[in-house]
């Protein structure tokens, strides 16, 4: 592989982190691997990594632009972006606007029901445990994040929700829910929190406002059709991918 000379720091289900060109930076590589149900279901979706790299760039640079700090520095190529190295808080921070997924199952609230206000949930990041839901009591008792961190994480999550919801609304998409990860960047005696990992249709639920069509990883989870086509649709609405870059063209006969 062309990146073999680089030092691999970490390999996850959908991404690989390599040592970056300067101290405090990493290169984040987006794979085509799709997993669901804690990696019980797996597939390679050709082009997914390219789409998520572009979409995550689009959302993260928009957040940077409005003063919501993220780990994103710049996109390097089709599958890689330069990011700030940060210490990941071991939580999945989930924001929900409508009922779906595990929330729907847990509370018996019909899919698509609008919640009275955005609800933020925390899951402890541990694949062996299936990322269990935890409360701020667990987070404080085990020292996963301080009280101040939790205040900042809540504010960050709600700002990301407002920004993303508005952005999606502008292209006819409803932001049902999403997951972010948060990282700490140390600066002398203190640290600040940034949005880390990725923001893409792998980590959001996105429904077309007019048709209700799902344009996110549920297409893969629930076998609803082509995941690549769904993500391509999202990318096109934001104008982030040229049509030819992802759609496989059939050979054409030329007379
Ligand atoms: P749920 O808890 O309903 O499965 O997920 C809520 C939201 O968080 C969905 O948008 C889902 O895609 C995202 N999410 C939850 N857990 C994970 C995870 O482990 N990985 C990713 N990529 N997204 C997740």
């Amino acid at each position: 592989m062309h990146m073999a000379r680089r030092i691999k720091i970490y390999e996850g289900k959908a991404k690989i982190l390599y040592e970056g060109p300067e101290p405090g930076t990493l290169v984040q590589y987006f794979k085509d691997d799709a997993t669901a149900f804690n990696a019980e279901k797996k597939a390679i979706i050709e082009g997914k990594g390219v789409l998520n790299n572009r979409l995550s760039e689009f959302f993260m640079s928009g957040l940077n632009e409005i003063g919501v700090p993220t780990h994103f520095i710049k996109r390097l190529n089709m599958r890689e972006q330069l990011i700030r190295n940060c210490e990941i808080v071991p939580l999945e921070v989930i924001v929900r606007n409508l009922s779906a997924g595990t929330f729907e199952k847990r509370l018996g609230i019909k899919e698509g029901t609008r919640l009275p206000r955005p609800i933020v949930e925390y899951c402890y990041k541990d694949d062996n445990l299936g990322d269990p839901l935890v409360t701020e009591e667990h987070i404080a008792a085990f020292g996963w994040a301080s009280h101040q961190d939790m205040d900042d994480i809540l504010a960050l999550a709600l700002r990301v929700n407002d920004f993303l919801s508005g952005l999606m609304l502008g292209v006819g998409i409803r932001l049902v829910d999403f997951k972010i990860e948060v990282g700490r960047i140390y600066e002398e005696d203190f640290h600040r929190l940034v949005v880390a990992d990725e923001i893409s249709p792998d980590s959001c639920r996105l429904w077309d406002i007019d048709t209700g069509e799902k344009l996110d990883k549920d297409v893969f989870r629930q076998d609803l059709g082509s995941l690549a086509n769904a993500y391509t649709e999202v990318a096109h609405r934001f104008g982030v991918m040229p049509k030819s870059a992802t759609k496989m063209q059939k050979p054409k006969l030329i007379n």
Side-chain angles (χ1 to χ4, degrees), residues 84 87 148-149 152 183-194:
R84 303 273 313 260
E87 180 186 273
Q148 180 65 57
D149 281 347
D152 294 347
R184 298 185 185 96
I185 292 180
Y186 288 90
E187 278 162 5
E188 307 196 344
D189 287 347
F190 63 97
H191 68 260
R192 58 195 188 91
L193 295 171
V194 299

Side-chain angles (χ1 to χ4, degrees), residues 164-177:
L164 284 183
S165 293
L167 211 55
M168 297 293 174
L169 203 56
V171 297
I173 293 174
R174 186 149 278 137
L175 179 64
V176 176
D177 57 29

Side-chain angles (χ1 to χ4, degrees), residues 54-80:
R54 286 283 189 150
L55 282 165
S56 200
E57 170 194 18
F58 182 73
F59 300 131
M60 293 267 189
S61 50
L63 286 167
N64 286 341
E65 203 73 44
I66 64 158
V68 177
T70 80
H71 72 165
F72 179 82
I73 302 171
K74 66 173 182 182
R75 188 172 57 82
L76 297 170
N77 55 50
M78 294 279 276
R79 287 186 183 272
E80 294 176 329

Side-chain angles (χ1 to χ4, degrees), residues 13 92 94-96 100-103 106 121 123 127 131 177-179 181 197-198 201-205 217 221:
K13 285 171 281 190
E92 296 197 332
I94 294 171
V95 185
R96 302 183 185 268
T102 60
F103 184 90
R106 199 186 324 125
E121 295 177 339
C123 294
D127 282 340
D131 300 336
D177 57 29
F178 65 92
K179 183 249 341 184
E181 293 186 22
D197 192 53
E198 72 179 293
D202 265 11
S203 53
C204 302
R205 283 197 174 90
K217 206 161 93 173
R221 293 188 188 100

Side-chain angles (χ1 to χ4, degrees), residues 8-17 28-45 48-49 52 79 92 123-132 179 181 197-198 200 202-203 217 220-221 227 231:
K8 194 193 276 188
I9 305 284
Y10 176 80
E11 177 155 7
K13 285 171 281 190
K15 296 184 295 297
I16 306 174
L17 294 177
Q28 179 163 257
Y29 175 98
F30 288 76
K31 303 195 279 186
D32 281 342
D33 301 58
T35 62
F37 311 117
N38 208 6
E40 275 170 42
K41 181 171 178 170
K42 286 185 208 165
I44 305 283
I45 312 288
K48 181 176 82 87
N52 281 354
R79 287 186 183 272
E92 296 197 332
C123 294
Y124 179 56
K125 257 173 76 74
D126 186 325
D127 282 340
N128 292 326
L129 300 174
D131 300 336
K179 183 249 341 184
E181 293 186 22
D197 192 53
E198 72 179 293
S200 74
D202 265 11
S203 53
K217 206 161 93 173
F220 172 69
R221 293 188 188 100
L227 191 72
Y231 287 23

